[in-house]
Amino acid sequence: MAIADISTRPAEPTAAPVSTFGGLPAVYGEGMAELMEWVDEIAALTTPDRIHWIDGSRAENDALLREMVAEGKLIKLNPEWRPGSYLARSHPSDVARTEGRTFIASEKEEDAGPTNNWAAPDAIRATITPLFAGSMKGRTMYVVPFSMGAVGGPLSHIGVQITDSAYAVASIGIMTRVGSDVLGEIAQGAPWVKTVHSVGAPLAPGQEDVAWPCNDEKYIVHFPDTLEVWSYGSGYGGNAILAKKCFALRIASVIGRDEGWLAEHMLLIRVISPEGKAYHVAAAFPSACGKTNLAMLRPTIPGWRVETLGDDIAWLRPGEDGRLWAINPEAGFFGVAPGTGESTNVAAVETLWGNTIFTNVALRPDGDVWWEGLTDTPPAQLTDWEGNPWTPASGRPAAHPNSRFTVAAAQCPQIAPDWDAPEGVPLDAILFGGRRATNVPLVVEATDWTHGVFMGSNISSERTAAAEGTVGELRRDPFAMLPFCGYNMADYFGHWLKVGQKLRFDRAPRIFQVNWFRKGDDGRFLWPGFGDNARVIDWIIRRVEGSVGAVESAVGRLPRTSDLNLEGISVPEADLDELFSINTESWMRETQLTEEFYQTFDGKVPAALWAELAALRYRLQRV
Ligand code: OXD
Ligand code: MN
């Protein structure tokens, strides 16, 4: 096979120790030989015109971005408003993660469980290999070595993504730590995960490329037994940045199961009290339920501060001190743009001052970007996410509801100074949330770890635009991990229980359920949300400190409303009552849904969780 340009490929291995040359390690041990062999194998299958080993340098990134602008794949934004920033417009059919085309190809079907699409590994390899055959023809194949977590850190893990999408390369460069020091780790024998991505749009000689190449046929396939990911046909977000959902959640959850830790769909923050004490909180919310907003919270109550550590993924590991330690394995934010504005998340707006790749937002005539919610009043004229003229009278959103920004975490004005400390931070509280118009109180504390795991297993939420499907429909999303758990969720519940047993009872994080989205009968939100969610965090921290009491209820411990700091806002008494009201009948219906859900796991749900369900019913009936 002819590879036209292999000039960026590292030199062949020799016996000497690792050193670097031109940004790449020039000399390699065993690990590097395995990597080169794999790259050759994938190149032989996908037949790219060129291979480019990514070294993670600024010069390389600049060149890639320039090339994409020249090819019409990115629009350079006006540097006066948005320096170093670009807009990508995807194909209208490629706008979200495609959960229906996402597969867990474990050897045994029961290891994928009923919440995943299972495929037999041999059968799905036989299906996708022909799709990858020649799929990179006419294109450049990029080899992107990346680290999740600080390079070489005790909780970090390495992967390599092969991709034919320069957009994916630029995004991975923001979302992870990319480059030659990662190759150095591989050279020295560090384990690494293989991820292969092709947009599935080979180019015939002389054929002109399109702005967003992709294929109608899509496969996002995970092989948990061999720690591989193969993604075909999509260039969008989680389908293409394989380090994120595919590796850091689906594959990492399997590694965590085997090694005794947890890969979670959680934001991570440090909350600093008026007394200057720091607490660490991780929170799991389904996609597009305000996770980034909470990650960048600006408390409305005086004296409190929040430092951001992560907005989407946290890896949690029991420490020798009996505490649960957490890192954010990512290095950037891939956030939902609509709804991010001055009044809802000013820190995010400030983060996006420059050096940002926007996807599927609207373009202003002055070369800046806009999306619904950025400002209260839309500009008079825009180009919408599909490239068509738009005015407020157009009657359709200017930005796609799942349009995104990709930006380095370090740009966040309230990023914790030690956000990428390799050892992470010890957790004081874990929150589970969802978007629930009814039933679920504003905040409720679990009585113990097992009750907290029961709460996590019962998270449900109204569907949002982050994945394909009908927006608004209620879907069960245990631990906000439904689309992201790489193995049987019943085993995952059991794993959570086991991790709890490794923690010291008095040092384990406390678990809470929160719901910012409860509505009154008139359809109005009962709680102001956003910066005022700090009032809930304030109660949570005071519970952790042991300085405030709680009211026992059938569903867990509730605040006394007099203990909530409501200074400066007026939430009517009736709304407060409604925010914490427990309707026995509808909760009994919830328990029925839980029973039906648990039953889908063919007897695998841990007995301790069935016992929690029975105990909840018992308490509800006694009310
Ligand atoms: C995300 C998601 O992109 O959860 O973070 O969909
Ligand atoms: Mn997410």
Side-chain angles (χ1 to χ4, degrees):
M1 185 215 36
I3 300 294
D5 173 8
I6 56 166
S7 57
T8 61
R9 179 184 169 138
E12 289 301 321
T14 76
V18 176
S19 67
T20 58
F21 172 72
L24 290 168
V27 200
Y28 311 103
E30 279 284 293
M32 210 53 206
E34 187 194 339
L35 171 58
M36 302 233 265
E37 208 174 288
W38 176 67
V39 169
D40 283 348
E41 200 185 293
I42 303 300
L45 173 67
T46 58
T47 65
D49 277 14
R50 292 164 296 277
I51 300 178
H52 182 138
W53 289 70
I54 292 292
D55 67 12
S57 67
R58 175 73 196 255
E60 177 184 67
N61 186 53
D62 286 352
L64 263 184
L65 293 167
R66 260 200 311 276
E67 203 177 298
M68 280 190 278
V69 171
E71 289 174 341
K73 292 184 169 144
L74 287 181
I75 296 168
K76 189 169 168 53
L77 299 177
N78 186 340
E80 211 175 306
W81 310 121
R82 216 58 81 161
S85 300
Y86 300 85
L87 168 64
R89 292 193 185 123
S90 80
H91 189 276
S93 67
D94 193 22
V95 290
R97 287 183 289 100
T98 43
E99 289 174 13
R101 307 301 305 158
T102 300
F103 299 89
I104 301 296
S106 47
E107 287 296 337
K108 292 198 222 131
E109 183 167 2
E110 64 168 338
D111 284 343
T115 60
N116 282 311
N117 301 314
W118 177 74
D122 288 349
I124 197 127
R125 274 192 209 277
T127 307
I128 62 174
T129 305
L131 297 176
F132 279 93
S135 71
M136 298 190 187
K137 204 174 271 206
R139 299 192 179 278
T140 302
M141 176 175 119
Y142 301 94
V143 182
V144 194
F146 62 87
S147 176
M148 302 309 286
V151 179
L155 309 183
S156 304
H157 283 267
I158 286 174
V160 180
Q161 179 164 339
I162 286 180
T163 178
D164 55 6
S165 159
Y167 167 87
V169 175
S171 306
I172 303 163
I174 296 172
M175 297 303 299
T176 75
R177 289 101 172 149
V178 163
S180 36
D181 46 351
V182 180
L183 284 184
E185 290 285 311
I186 292 176
Q188 290 175 73
W192 52 281
V193 169
K194 297 170 174 160
T195 73
V196 185
H197 170 241
S198 174
V199 293
L203 292 168
Q207 183 184 341
E208 215 181 303
D209 203 0
V210 292
W212 186 275
C214 61
N215 196 301
D216 285 345
E217 195 163 11
K218 294 180 178 34
Y219 281 95
I220 324 295
V221 188
H222 305 72
F223 295 92
D225 299 298
T226 49
L227 304 183
E228 286 168 76
V229 182
W230 288 70
S231 169
Y232 178 86
S234 167
Y236 207 85
N239 290 346
I241 308 168
L242 303 185
K244 194 172 176 60
K245 304 300 188 181
C246 299
F247 176 4
L249 288 177
R250 297 192 191 99
I251 294 290
S253 63
V254 173
I255 300 175
R257 174 196 65 190
D258 298 343
E259 293 183 352
W261 52 279
L262 293 160
E264 294 302 318
H265 191 204
M266 289 180 174
L267 65 89
L268 191 57
I269 51 177
R270 173 177 296 137
V271 182
I272 302 167
S273 72
E275 297 76 38
K277 279 190 79 179
Y279 300 87
H280 297 106
V281 178
F285 291 82
S287 306
C289 283
K291 239 165 73 244
T292 303
N293 290 349
L294 183 57
M296 299 181 191
L297 187 74
R298 289 268 167 101
T300 50
I301 38 178
W304 288 89
R305 265 191 321 119
V306 167
E307 288 179 354
T308 306
L309 289 149
D311 84 326
D312 194 42
I313 297 176
W315 287 352
L316 320 180
R317 193 187 283 262
E320 276 168 17
D321 57 358
R323 304 193 72 176
L324 189 59
W325 287 75
I327 62 163
N328 163 21
E330 302 190 279
F333 307 129
F334 178 65
V336 177
T340 305
E342 297 285 346
S343 56
T344 53
N345 189 344
V346 67
V349 173
E350 288 169 9
T351 304
L352 305 176
W353 62 267
N355 307 322
T356 305
I357 300 179
F358 296 93
T359 307
N360 287 347
V361 300
L363 183 64
R364 293 167 48 114
D366 62 2
D368 197 6
V369 283
W370 190 84
W371 51 82
E372 279 69 20
L374 177 61
T375 54
D376 291 342
T377 319
Q381 263 189 358
L382 290 167
T383 305
D384 73 7
W385 69 277
E386 293 190 84
N388 301 314
W390 184 95
T391 72
S394 296
R396 59 177 197 278
H400 186 278
N402 192 36
S403 54
R404 299 282 181 147
F405 51 80
T406 311
V407 67
Q411 264 187 220
C412 176
Q414 62 191 63
I415 195 80
D418 54 345
W419 72 275
D420 65 349
E423 68 284 1
V425 295
L427 286 183
D428 297 292
I430 292 177
L431 320 187
F432 294 120
R435 190 181 277 272
R436 291 295 308 266
T438 58
N439 257 13
V440 179
L442 176 62
V443 57
V444 52
E445 182 186 349
T447 47
D448 57 23
W449 184 269
T450 308
H451 184 219
V453 172
F454 174 71
M455 276 179 176
S457 76
N458 275 303
I459 295 297
S460 49
S461 196
E462 289 140 30
R463 204 185 265 278
T464 68
E468 290 179 331
T470 314
V471 172
E473 188 181 83
L474 194 69
R475 85 161 177 175
R476 235 148 230 286
D477 195 350
F479 294 82
M481 282 287 280
L482 184 79
F484 306 125
C485 185
Y487 62 103
N488 191 312
M489 277 213 113
D491 293 337
Y492 165 84
F493 300 160
H495 184 53
W496 260 86
L497 294 173
K498 262 196 229 144
V499 167
Q501 285 162 9
K502 292 201 203 137
L503 304 174
R504 247 182 64 167
F505 76 94
D506 56 341
R507 293 192 175 168
R510 300 275 198 92
I511 301 181
F512 300 80
Q513 183 171 7
V514 296
N515 176 26
W516 320 134
F517 301 96
R518 195 150 171 178
K519 289 183 176 169
D521 290 341
D522 51 2
R524 213 172 21 93
F525 284 114
L526 295 170
W527 179 248
F530 303 108
D532 287 319
N533 292 336
R535 298 167 193 277
V536 175
I537 304 284
D538 160 289
W539 183 76
I540 287 170
I541 298 300
R542 286 189 288 132
R543 284 295 297 160
V544 168
E545 282 176 336
S547 62
V548 75
V551 187
E552 299 288 344
S553 83
V555 302
R557 295 177 178 152
L558 301 172
R560 283 189 218 103
T561 46
S562 57
D563 283 333
L564 285 175
N565 180 346
L566 299 175
E567 226 177 292
I569 52 168
S570 58
V571 182
E573 199 74 26
D575 286 7
L576 268 185
D577 289 346
E578 183 62 24
L579 275 167
F580 292 103
S581 71
I582 311 291
N583 180 307
T584 305
E585 250 171 59
S586 41
W587 267 93
M588 283 304 279
R589 274 198 301 278
E590 294 257 345
T591 65
Q592 186 55 35
L593 294 176
T594 301
E595 179 173 337
E596 285 162 19
F597 179 58
Y598 280 5
Q599 271 164 350
T600 62
F601 291 96
D602 282 338
K604 269 178 158 282
V605 168
L609 297 188
W610 281 108
E612 286 293 335
L613 177 62
L616 171 60
R617 283 175 161 160
Y618 176 77
R619 292 192 301 265
L620 283 165
Q621 273 160 353
R622 282 170 55 95
V623 174

